[in-house]
Every structure is written in C-alpha cells, then in structure tokens.
Amino acid sequence: MSGAIQLDGKLVLFDANDCHLEPGAEAVIVNEKGNIVVARLEPTAEWERLARTRTGLVWTINPLGERVLFAVKVLGRYIRTEGVGQAVDLAPQKPDFFEDAKPLSATEVAGELGKAFAVCNRIYHEPERANTDNCERSLRSVAHGIMQMWNDVQRIKRERTRQLGR
C-alpha cells in the first residue's frame, strides 16, 4: 500500500506505485468534479498510452445528459479493504511532522510551491547536477505548504457546511 484516504467515513487504500492499470481495473481517481472516488477503468484502444500518463477513461454524464467517456487522473490501483487489519497497521502512529510547524502566509506557501517547480526542473532536466539533500529539504517544506492548504480548505469546507446547516 502506498496511499490511503478517508472517503465518507471509510478508509480507501491504493497503490500509487502501480500506475500501468489495464482496462477493467478498479482505481482510485480524481473524477470530473474533482472528487476522489473509486471507479472501474473502461477499455480503450489507447489504454497503454493513457496509463503512461496516469490517465484512465470512465463513463460519466455530460451537461447535455449524454453518457460519455471522460479522461480522469488515476491516483493508483484500488486495494480492497476487506480484512483491513492485515493491510494496515492499526497501531497508533507518530504525530505528523508538520503539527508543530509554524503557519505560513499565502506568499510563503506560493514560495514553497516555487521550490517544487525548481526541484522538478532539476531532477528531470539536470539530474546529474541535482543535490538530493537540498531536493529533500525543499520537498519537505513544499509538503508542509500543501498540507497547510489542505487543512485550510477542509476547515473552510466544514465552516460552509455548518453555515448551510447540512
């Protein structure tokens, strides 16, 4: 297992390292509405090309009410959660290393995202010049910025839900 997310109160596990998914495979995807869901990938003549870019096709309904195939981003192969005790260590985990990090301003978060671009540029275009220690430090701070944005979005979402009385 390389990834887990909680959807509607259930733990969904997926293997993000398994990116070459054949038609008919169950995958954790980002659907057309931007939600993370589990879906079965549809057969297509170009599935191998799509799989190389972590893309798959799923059926959806377009605004005109027609059933169409839609390209979605594949996060990884879905791992069934029957017998989840065998798949996941349910022992208490050590705290997230971002818990005690100081909050970042919006400008600082944008700067962190710039670091991600710099690391990407270096490791994919000049790998022989990449300083892996610097890349790790940069990616750790980028991850902190992304997790802060994630937590802020979840907080806003909870507030809106509470305001709407749902």
Side-chain angles (χ1 to χ4, degrees), residues 25-72:
E26 284 188 311
V28 176
I29 65 163
V30 179
N31 72 5
E32 70 280 3
K33 295 179 181 171
N35 298 322
I36 297 174
V37 297
V38 177
R40 187 169 304 282
L41 300 179
E42 293 299 323
T44 177
E46 300 179 321
W47 78 269
E48 288 183 350
R49 181 183 61 83
L50 291 170
R52 284 193 297 272
T53 60
R54 297 184 80 93
T55 304
L57 296 177
V58 296
W59 286 106
T60 189
I61 305 296
N62 71 10
L64 302 174
E66 303 166 325
R67 191 168 183 244
V68 295
L69 282 173
F70 188 81
V72 294

Short mmCIF file of all heavy atoms in Angstrom, two decimals, residues 25-72:
data_model
loop_
_atom_site.label_atom_id
_atom_site.label_comp_id
_atom_site.label_asym_id
_atom_site.label_seq_id
_atom_site.Cartn_x
_atom_site.Cartn_y
_atom_site.Cartn_z
N ALA A 25 -9.64 -2.49 -14.48
CA ALA A 25 -9.06 -2.41 -13.14
C ALA A 25 -9.82 -1.37 -12.32
O ALA A 25 -10.27 -0.35 -12.84
CB ALA A 25 -7.58 -2.03 -13.22
N GLU A 26 -9.94 -1.64 -11.03
CA GLU A 26 -10.52 -0.65 -10.13
C GLU A 26 -9.41 0.28 -9.69
O GLU A 26 -8.35 -0.17 -9.25
CB GLU A 26 -11.17 -1.31 -8.92
CG GLU A 26 -12.49 -1.95 -9.23
CD GLU A 26 -13.19 -2.43 -7.97
OE1 GLU A 26 -12.54 -3.12 -7.17
OE2 GLU A 26 -14.37 -2.11 -7.81
N ALA A 27 -9.66 1.58 -9.80
CA ALA A 27 -8.64 2.57 -9.49
C ALA A 27 -9.23 3.66 -8.61
O ALA A 27 -10.43 3.92 -8.63
CB ALA A 27 -8.11 3.18 -10.78
N VAL A 28 -8.35 4.29 -7.84
CA VAL A 28 -8.72 5.49 -7.11
C VAL A 28 -8.38 6.64 -8.06
O VAL A 28 -7.26 6.75 -8.55
CB VAL A 28 -7.94 5.60 -5.78
CG1 VAL A 28 -8.27 6.90 -5.08
CG2 VAL A 28 -8.26 4.42 -4.89
N ILE A 29 -9.40 7.46 -8.37
CA ILE A 29 -9.25 8.50 -9.39
C ILE A 29 -9.71 9.86 -8.87
O ILE A 29 -10.39 9.93 -7.84
CB ILE A 29 -10.07 8.16 -10.66
CG1 ILE A 29 -11.57 8.16 -10.33
CG2 ILE A 29 -9.63 6.85 -11.28
CD1 ILE A 29 -12.48 8.25 -11.54
N VAL A 30 -9.36 10.90 -9.61
CA VAL A 30 -9.95 12.22 -9.41
C VAL A 30 -10.96 12.37 -10.53
O VAL A 30 -10.60 12.42 -11.70
CB VAL A 30 -8.88 13.33 -9.48
CG1 VAL A 30 -9.53 14.69 -9.29
CG2 VAL A 30 -7.79 13.10 -8.45
N ASN A 31 -12.26 12.38 -10.18
CA ASN A 31 -13.30 12.37 -11.21
C ASN A 31 -13.50 13.75 -11.84
O ASN A 31 -12.79 14.71 -11.51
CB ASN A 31 -14.62 11.80 -10.67
CG ASN A 31 -15.33 12.71 -9.70
OD1 ASN A 31 -14.94 13.84 -9.45
ND2 ASN A 31 -16.40 12.19 -9.11
N GLU A 32 -14.49 13.85 -12.72
CA GLU A 32 -14.73 15.08 -13.48
C GLU A 32 -15.12 16.26 -12.61
O GLU A 32 -14.98 17.41 -13.01
CB GLU A 32 -15.80 14.84 -14.56
CG GLU A 32 -17.21 14.63 -14.04
CD GLU A 32 -17.50 13.22 -13.54
OE1 GLU A 32 -16.59 12.37 -13.51
OE2 GLU A 32 -18.65 12.98 -13.14
N LYS A 33 -15.57 15.99 -11.39
CA LYS A 33 -15.95 17.07 -10.48
C LYS A 33 -14.83 17.41 -9.50
O LYS A 33 -15.00 18.24 -8.62
CB LYS A 33 -17.21 16.67 -9.71
CG LYS A 33 -18.42 16.54 -10.60
CD LYS A 33 -19.63 16.12 -9.83
CE LYS A 33 -20.81 15.96 -10.78
NZ LYS A 33 -21.96 15.35 -10.14
N GLY A 34 -13.68 16.73 -9.63
CA GLY A 34 -12.56 16.98 -8.75
C GLY A 34 -12.59 16.19 -7.46
O GLY A 34 -11.79 16.43 -6.57
N ASN A 35 -13.52 15.24 -7.35
CA ASN A 35 -13.63 14.41 -6.15
C ASN A 35 -12.80 13.14 -6.31
O ASN A 35 -12.69 12.60 -7.41
CB ASN A 35 -15.09 14.03 -5.89
CG ASN A 35 -15.95 15.24 -5.66
OD1 ASN A 35 -15.54 16.20 -5.03
ND2 ASN A 35 -17.15 15.22 -6.19
N ILE A 36 -12.26 12.65 -5.22
CA ILE A 36 -11.53 11.40 -5.24
C ILE A 36 -12.53 10.27 -5.00
O ILE A 36 -13.26 10.29 -4.01
CB ILE A 36 -10.42 11.38 -4.18
CG1 ILE A 36 -9.40 12.47 -4.50
CG2 ILE A 36 -9.75 10.02 -4.10
CD1 ILE A 36 -8.32 12.66 -3.46
N VAL A 37 -12.57 9.32 -5.94
CA VAL A 37 -13.52 8.20 -5.87
C VAL A 37 -12.85 6.94 -6.38
O VAL A 37 -11.77 6.98 -6.96
CB VAL A 37 -14.79 8.48 -6.72
CG1 VAL A 37 -15.56 9.68 -6.18
CG2 VAL A 37 -14.45 8.70 -8.17
N VAL A 38 -13.53 5.81 -6.18
CA VAL A 38 -13.09 4.53 -6.73
C VAL A 38 -13.94 4.26 -7.96
O VAL A 38 -15.16 4.40 -7.92
CB VAL A 38 -13.25 3.38 -5.71
CG1 VAL A 38 -12.87 2.05 -6.32
CG2 VAL A 38 -12.41 3.66 -4.46
N ALA A 39 -13.30 3.91 -9.08
CA ALA A 39 -14.04 3.65 -10.32
C ALA A 39 -13.33 2.55 -11.11
O ALA A 39 -12.14 2.31 -10.94
CB ALA A 39 -14.14 4.91 -11.16
N ARG A 40 -14.09 1.92 -11.99
CA ARG A 40 -13.54 0.91 -12.89
C ARG A 40 -13.14 1.59 -14.19
O ARG A 40 -13.92 2.32 -14.78
CB ARG A 40 -14.57 -0.19 -13.15
CG ARG A 40 -14.04 -1.36 -13.94
CD ARG A 40 -15.00 -2.52 -13.96
NE ARG A 40 -15.40 -3.00 -12.65
CZ ARG A 40 -14.66 -3.77 -11.85
NH1 ARG A 40 -13.48 -4.14 -12.22
NH2 ARG A 40 -15.12 -4.15 -10.68
N LEU A 41 -11.89 1.36 -14.64
CA LEU A 41 -11.41 1.95 -15.88
C LEU A 41 -12.01 1.24 -17.08
O LEU A 41 -12.09 0.01 -17.10
CB LEU A 41 -9.88 1.91 -15.94
CG LEU A 41 -9.16 2.63 -14.80
CD1 LEU A 41 -7.65 2.49 -14.97
CD2 LEU A 41 -9.55 4.10 -14.75
N GLU A 42 -12.42 2.00 -18.06
CA GLU A 42 -13.08 1.45 -19.25
C GLU A 42 -12.05 1.07 -20.32
O GLU A 42 -11.00 1.68 -20.42
CB GLU A 42 -14.06 2.48 -19.82
CG GLU A 42 -15.23 2.75 -18.92
CD GLU A 42 -16.08 1.53 -18.65
OE1 GLU A 42 -16.27 0.71 -19.57
OE2 GLU A 42 -16.57 1.39 -17.52
N PRO A 43 -12.40 0.04 -21.12
CA PRO A 43 -11.48 -0.37 -22.19
C PRO A 43 -11.39 0.69 -23.29
O PRO A 43 -12.37 1.36 -23.60
CB PRO A 43 -12.12 -1.64 -22.76
CG PRO A 43 -13.29 -1.95 -21.91
CD PRO A 43 -13.56 -0.79 -21.02
N THR A 44 -10.21 0.84 -23.83
CA THR A 44 -9.97 1.73 -24.95
C THR A 44 -8.76 1.22 -25.71
O THR A 44 -7.88 0.58 -25.11
CB THR A 44 -9.75 3.18 -24.49
OG1 THR A 44 -9.44 3.98 -25.62
CG2 THR A 44 -8.63 3.30 -23.50
N ALA A 45 -8.69 1.52 -27.00
CA ALA A 45 -7.56 1.08 -27.81
C ALA A 45 -6.27 1.76 -27.37
O ALA A 45 -5.18 1.23 -27.58
CB ALA A 45 -7.83 1.38 -29.28
N GLU A 46 -6.37 2.92 -26.73
CA GLU A 46 -5.19 3.69 -26.32
C GLU A 46 -4.86 3.54 -24.85
O GLU A 46 -4.16 4.37 -24.29
CB GLU A 46 -5.42 5.16 -26.64
CG GLU A 46 -5.65 5.45 -28.10
CD GLU A 46 -5.87 6.93 -28.32
OE1 GLU A 46 -6.54 7.57 -27.49
OE2 GLU A 46 -5.36 7.43 -29.31
N TRP A 47 -5.32 2.48 -24.19
CA TRP A 47 -5.16 2.39 -22.74
C TRP A 47 -3.70 2.40 -22.32
O TRP A 47 -3.37 2.97 -21.28
CB TRP A 47 -5.92 1.20 -22.17
CG TRP A 47 -5.26 -0.13 -22.35
CD1 TRP A 47 -5.43 -0.99 -23.39
CD2 TRP A 47 -4.32 -0.74 -21.48
NE1 TRP A 47 -4.67 -2.10 -23.22
CE2 TRP A 47 -3.96 -1.99 -22.05
CE3 TRP A 47 -3.74 -0.38 -20.27
CZ2 TRP A 47 -3.05 -2.85 -21.46
CZ3 TRP A 47 -2.83 -1.24 -19.68
CH2 TRP A 47 -2.50 -2.46 -20.27
N GLU A 48 -2.80 1.82 -23.10
CA GLU A 48 -1.39 1.79 -22.71
C GLU A 48 -0.79 3.20 -22.71
O GLU A 48 -0.05 3.57 -21.81
CB GLU A 48 -0.59 0.85 -23.59
CG GLU A 48 -0.90 -0.60 -23.32
CD GLU A 48 -0.06 -1.55 -24.16
OE1 GLU A 48 0.63 -1.10 -25.10
OE2 GLU A 48 -0.10 -2.75 -23.86
N ARG A 49 -1.13 3.99 -23.73
CA ARG A 49 -0.64 5.37 -23.78
C ARG A 49 -1.21 6.17 -22.61
O ARG A 49 -0.50 6.93 -21.95
CB ARG A 49 -1.03 6.02 -25.10
CG ARG A 49 -0.52 7.46 -25.24
CD ARG A 49 -1.00 8.09 -26.54
NE ARG A 49 -2.43 8.17 -26.65
CZ ARG A 49 -3.18 9.13 -26.10
NH1 ARG A 49 -2.62 10.08 -25.40
NH2 ARG A 49 -4.49 9.14 -26.25
N LEU A 50 -2.49 6.00 -22.36
CA LEU A 50 -3.13 6.70 -21.25
C LEU A 50 -2.51 6.30 -19.91
O LEU A 50 -2.27 7.15 -19.05
CB LEU A 50 -4.63 6.43 -21.24
CG LEU A 50 -5.44 7.03 -22.38
CD1 LEU A 50 -6.86 6.48 -22.37
CD2 LEU A 50 -5.43 8.54 -22.32
N ALA A 51 -2.23 5.01 -19.73
CA ALA A 51 -1.68 4.52 -18.47
C ALA A 51 -0.31 5.14 -18.18
O ALA A 51 0.03 5.39 -17.03
CB ALA A 51 -1.58 3.00 -18.49
N ARG A 52 0.47 5.41 -19.22
CA ARG A 52 1.79 6.00 -19.01
C ARG A 52 1.69 7.40 -18.42
O ARG A 52 2.62 7.87 -17.77
CB ARG A 52 2.57 6.04 -20.33
CG ARG A 52 3.13 4.70 -20.74
CD ARG A 52 4.14 4.82 -21.86
NE ARG A 52 3.57 5.35 -23.09
CZ ARG A 52 3.01 4.62 -24.04
NH1 ARG A 52 2.94 3.31 -23.90
NH2 ARG A 52 2.53 5.18 -25.12
N THR A 53 0.59 8.08 -18.63
CA THR A 53 0.40 9.43 -18.08
C THR A 53 -0.55 9.42 -16.88
O THR A 53 -1.10 10.46 -16.53
CB THR A 53 -0.14 10.39 -19.16
OG1 THR A 53 -1.39 9.89 -19.64
CG2 THR A 53 0.86 10.54 -20.29
N ARG A 54 -0.76 8.24 -16.31
CA ARG A 54 -1.64 8.07 -15.15
C ARG A 54 -3.05 8.58 -15.44
O ARG A 54 -3.68 9.22 -14.60
CB ARG A 54 -1.06 8.75 -13.92
CG ARG A 54 0.26 8.15 -13.48
CD ARG A 54 0.75 8.77 -12.20
NE ARG A 54 0.09 8.22 -11.05
CZ ARG A 54 0.54 7.20 -10.32
NH1 ARG A 54 1.64 6.61 -10.65
NH2 ARG A 54 -0.13 6.78 -9.28
N THR A 55 -3.52 8.29 -16.64
CA THR A 55 -4.85 8.70 -17.06
C THR A 55 -5.67 7.46 -17.38
O THR A 55 -5.13 6.46 -17.85
CB THR A 55 -4.77 9.60 -18.31
OG1 THR A 55 -3.91 10.71 -18.01
CG2 THR A 55 -6.12 10.12 -18.72
N GLY A 56 -6.95 7.51 -17.14
CA GLY A 56 -7.87 6.43 -17.49
C GLY A 56 -9.18 7.02 -17.98
O GLY A 56 -9.42 8.22 -17.86
N LEU A 57 -10.02 6.17 -18.53
CA LEU A 57 -11.32 6.61 -19.01
C LEU A 57 -12.42 5.99 -18.16
O LEU A 57 -12.36 4.81 -17.84
CB LEU A 57 -11.53 6.21 -20.47
CG LEU A 57 -10.58 6.85 -21.48
CD1 LEU A 57 -10.85 6.29 -22.88
CD2 LEU A 57 -10.70 8.36 -21.49
N VAL A 58 -13.41 6.81 -17.80
CA VAL A 58 -14.58 6.33 -17.05
C VAL A 58 -15.83 6.93 -17.70
O VAL A 58 -15.77 7.97 -18.35
CB VAL A 58 -14.53 6.72 -15.55
CG1 VAL A 58 -13.35 6.07 -14.85
CG2 VAL A 58 -14.49 8.22 -15.37
N TRP A 59 -16.95 6.25 -17.51
CA TRP A 59 -18.22 6.75 -18.02
C TRP A 59 -18.75 7.84 -17.10
O TRP A 59 -18.66 7.73 -15.87
CB TRP A 59 -19.25 5.64 -18.13
CG TRP A 59 -19.00 4.72 -19.28
CD1 TRP A 59 -18.52 3.45 -19.22
CD2 TRP A 59 -19.21 5.01 -20.66
NE1 TRP A 59 -18.41 2.92 -20.49
CE2 TRP A 59 -18.83 3.87 -21.40
CE3 TRP A 59 -19.67 6.12 -21.36
CZ2 TRP A 59 -18.90 3.80 -22.79
CZ3 TRP A 59 -19.74 6.06 -22.74
CH2 TRP A 59 -19.37 4.91 -23.44
N THR A 60 -19.29 8.89 -17.69
CA THR A 60 -19.93 9.96 -16.93
C THR A 60 -21.06 10.54 -17.78
O THR A 60 -21.20 10.21 -18.95
CB THR A 60 -18.91 11.06 -16.54
OG1 THR A 60 -19.52 11.96 -15.62
CG2 THR A 60 -18.39 11.80 -17.75
N ILE A 61 -21.84 11.40 -17.20
CA ILE A 61 -22.94 12.07 -17.89
C ILE A 61 -22.53 13.52 -18.12
O ILE A 61 -22.21 14.23 -17.17
CB ILE A 61 -24.25 12.02 -17.06
CG1 ILE A 61 -24.60 10.59 -16.68
CG2 ILE A 61 -25.38 12.71 -17.81
CD1 ILE A 61 -24.93 9.68 -17.85
N ASN A 62 -22.55 13.96 -19.39
CA ASN A 62 -22.18 15.35 -19.69
C ASN A 62 -23.37 16.28 -19.40
O ASN A 62 -24.47 15.82 -19.10
CB ASN A 62 -21.65 15.48 -21.12
CG ASN A 62 -22.71 15.32 -22.18
OD1 ASN A 62 -23.91 15.29 -21.91
ND2 ASN A 62 -22.27 15.22 -23.42
N PRO A 63 -23.16 17.60 -19.50
CA PRO A 63 -24.24 18.55 -19.19
C PRO A 63 -25.49 18.39 -20.08
O PRO A 63 -26.57 18.83 -19.70
CB PRO A 63 -23.59 19.92 -19.42
CG PRO A 63 -22.14 19.68 -19.20
CD PRO A 63 -21.88 18.29 -19.70
N LEU A 64 -25.34 17.76 -21.24
CA LEU A 64 -26.49 17.54 -22.11
C LEU A 64 -27.25 16.27 -21.77
O LEU A 64 -28.21 15.91 -22.44
CB LEU A 64 -26.04 17.50 -23.58
CG LEU A 64 -25.31 18.74 -24.09
CD1 LEU A 64 -24.78 18.52 -25.50
CD2 LEU A 64 -26.23 19.95 -24.03
N GLY A 65 -26.77 15.55 -20.73
CA GLY A 65 -27.42 14.32 -20.31
C GLY A 65 -26.98 13.09 -21.08
O GLY A 65 -27.58 12.03 -20.95
N GLU A 66 -25.93 13.22 -21.88
CA GLU A 66 -25.43 12.09 -22.66
C GLU A 66 -24.36 11.34 -21.88
O GLU A 66 -23.58 11.95 -21.15
CB GLU A 66 -24.81 12.59 -23.98
CG GLU A 66 -25.77 13.40 -24.82
CD GLU A 66 -25.06 14.16 -25.93
OE1 GLU A 66 -23.92 14.63 -25.70
OE2 GLU A 66 -25.65 14.27 -27.01
N ARG A 67 -24.33 10.04 -22.04
CA ARG A 67 -23.31 9.19 -21.40
C ARG A 67 -22.06 9.22 -22.28
O ARG A 67 -22.11 8.86 -23.45
CB ARG A 67 -23.84 7.77 -21.25
CG ARG A 67 -22.99 6.90 -20.38
CD ARG A 67 -23.72 5.61 -20.04
NE ARG A 67 -22.90 4.83 -19.15
CZ ARG A 67 -22.41 3.64 -19.44
NH1 ARG A 67 -22.70 3.08 -20.59
NH2 ARG A 67 -21.66 3.00 -18.57
N VAL A 68 -20.93 9.67 -21.71
CA VAL A 68 -19.69 9.82 -22.47
C VAL A 68 -18.51 9.29 -21.66
O VAL A 68 -18.57 9.21 -20.43
CB VAL A 68 -19.42 11.29 -22.85
CG1 VAL A 68 -20.48 11.83 -23.79
CG2 VAL A 68 -19.33 12.17 -21.61
N LEU A 69 -17.44 8.92 -22.37
CA LEU A 69 -16.20 8.55 -21.70
C LEU A 69 -15.45 9.83 -21.34
O LEU A 69 -15.39 10.77 -22.15
CB LEU A 69 -15.33 7.67 -22.60
CG LEU A 69 -15.75 6.21 -22.68
CD1 LEU A 69 -14.94 5.48 -23.74
CD2 LEU A 69 -15.60 5.52 -21.34
N PHE A 70 -14.88 9.85 -20.15
CA PHE A 70 -14.19 11.04 -19.66
C PHE A 70 -12.81 10.63 -19.15
O PHE A 70 -12.68 9.64 -18.42
CB PHE A 70 -15.02 11.68 -18.53
CG PHE A 70 -14.51 13.01 -18.07
CD1 PHE A 70 -14.81 14.16 -18.78
CD2 PHE A 70 -13.72 13.11 -16.94
CE1 PHE A 70 -14.34 15.39 -18.37
CE2 PHE A 70 -13.25 14.33 -16.51
CZ PHE A 70 -13.55 15.48 -17.23
N ALA A 71 -11.79 11.38 -19.54
CA ALA A 71 -10.43 11.10 -19.07
C ALA A 71 -10.26 11.64 -17.66
O ALA A 71 -10.59 12.78 -17.37
CB ALA A 71 -9.42 11.74 -20.01
N VAL A 72 -9.74 10.78 -16.76
CA VAL A 72 -9.55 11.16 -15.37
C VAL A 72 -8.12 10.86 -14.94
O VAL A 72 -7.43 10.03 -15.54
CB VAL A 72 -10.53 10.38 -14.44
CG1 VAL A 72 -11.96 10.78 -14.70
CG2 VAL A 72 -10.34 8.88 -14.59
#
